[in-house]
Amino acid sequence: MRTGRYASPPIGHRAFCRSFPGECEVHGSRSPMQLTPSRWQDLVRVNNYVNDTVEAVTDQEYYGQEEVWTLPQGYGDCEDYVLLKRKQLVARGWPTSDLLVAVVFDEVGAGHAVLVVRTDRGDYVLDNKVSDIRLWSETGYRYVKRQDIADPKKWVAIDDSRWQPLDATGRVR
């Protein structure tokens, strides 16, 4: 996954870091994790556990407002799933530089958040929409931005060259 210039963090992420400052600190090394069978099982277990125990609900339905990023207590939307998965993987010894919240456009063009997991075998995605863990390039999503490797409070634009920009008529520019 190629990244470029710094990007503005999602407003919900800024508020999350103010409410949970420990979740936005750097932990561990900056080199990609070696993906051993044990580490793969970490990903599978955490992804399945969070997907099975958090009930999907929009922020508007649950909190009566848009874009509340938090650690879910049984209910949450996409970024809440991501934040809980990230927290649980950090507790299992994964460095924050390998657990990056990303903003994407999903299969229908809606905004969505996923957890990108950097490894020596590529960048994998943990997603609340599917139980399969796939390489980022195999998700069908358009990647917009993600957390910076060096600082979880900073975000970088993703150069997702698989997608070409369209003009107002829907034609490739």
Side-chain angles (χ1 to χ4, degrees):
M1 181 179 288
R2 289 190 353 230
T3 60
R5 68 194 184 297
Y6 281 106
S8 60
I11 194 161
H13 187 258
R14 286 188 204 146
F16 175 76
C17 288
R18 283 191 302 273
S19 297
F20 300 91
E23 296 298 320
C24 297
E25 294 176 357
V26 176
H27 300 281
S29 82
R30 289 189 10 196
S31 16
M33 178 68 77
Q34 182 180 8
L35 190 58
T36 64
S38 172
R39 288 296 186 184
W40 180 258
Q41 284 306 307
D42 282 346
L43 299 180
V44 169
R45 284 187 187 108
V46 166
N47 193 54
N48 289 340
Y49 173 77
V50 174
N51 285 355
D52 291 345
T53 59
V54 175
E55 185 176 331
V57 63
T58 68
D59 290 334
Q60 189 64 48
E61 292 168 328
Y62 197 66
Y63 299 103
Q65 60 186 20
E66 294 295 322
E67 289 309 299
V68 176
W69 288 41
T70 191
L71 295 168
Q73 301 292 319
Y75 300 92
D77 64 359
C78 57
E79 71 273 356
D80 303 327
Y81 282 81
V82 168
L83 295 168
L84 184 56
K85 290 174 186 182
R86 185 176 181 278
K87 179 178 182 63
Q88 290 189 0
L89 288 166
V90 167
R92 291 173 180 250
W94 286 75
T96 55
S97 64
D98 292 338
L99 304 171
L100 307 168
V101 180
V103 174
V104 304
F105 288 112
D106 69 8
E107 68 281 354
V108 296
H112 185 50
V114 295
L115 184 64
V116 174
V117 180
R118 290 179 53 232
T119 76
D120 63 341
R121 295 188 189 174
D123 297 336
Y124 288 88
V125 171
L126 277 61
D127 189 353
N128 67 299
K129 291 185 173 194
V130 295
S131 60
D132 294 343
I133 298 171
R134 298 175 281 178
L135 287 168
W136 76 276
S137 57
E138 296 174 355
T139 62
Y141 295 158
R142 179 174 177 223
Y143 289 76
V144 178
K145 59 185 171 181
R146 68 159 169 76
Q147 288 175 297
D148 183 46
I149 292 167
D151 184 350
K153 290 181 219 113
K154 293 183 180 175
W155 287 63
V156 291
I158 297 172
D159 178 18
D160 193 348
S161 58
R162 300 168 304 148
W163 300 91
Q164 296 182 5
L166 304 178
D167 65 17
T169 66
R171 295 187 184 135
V172 174
R173 287 192 244 181

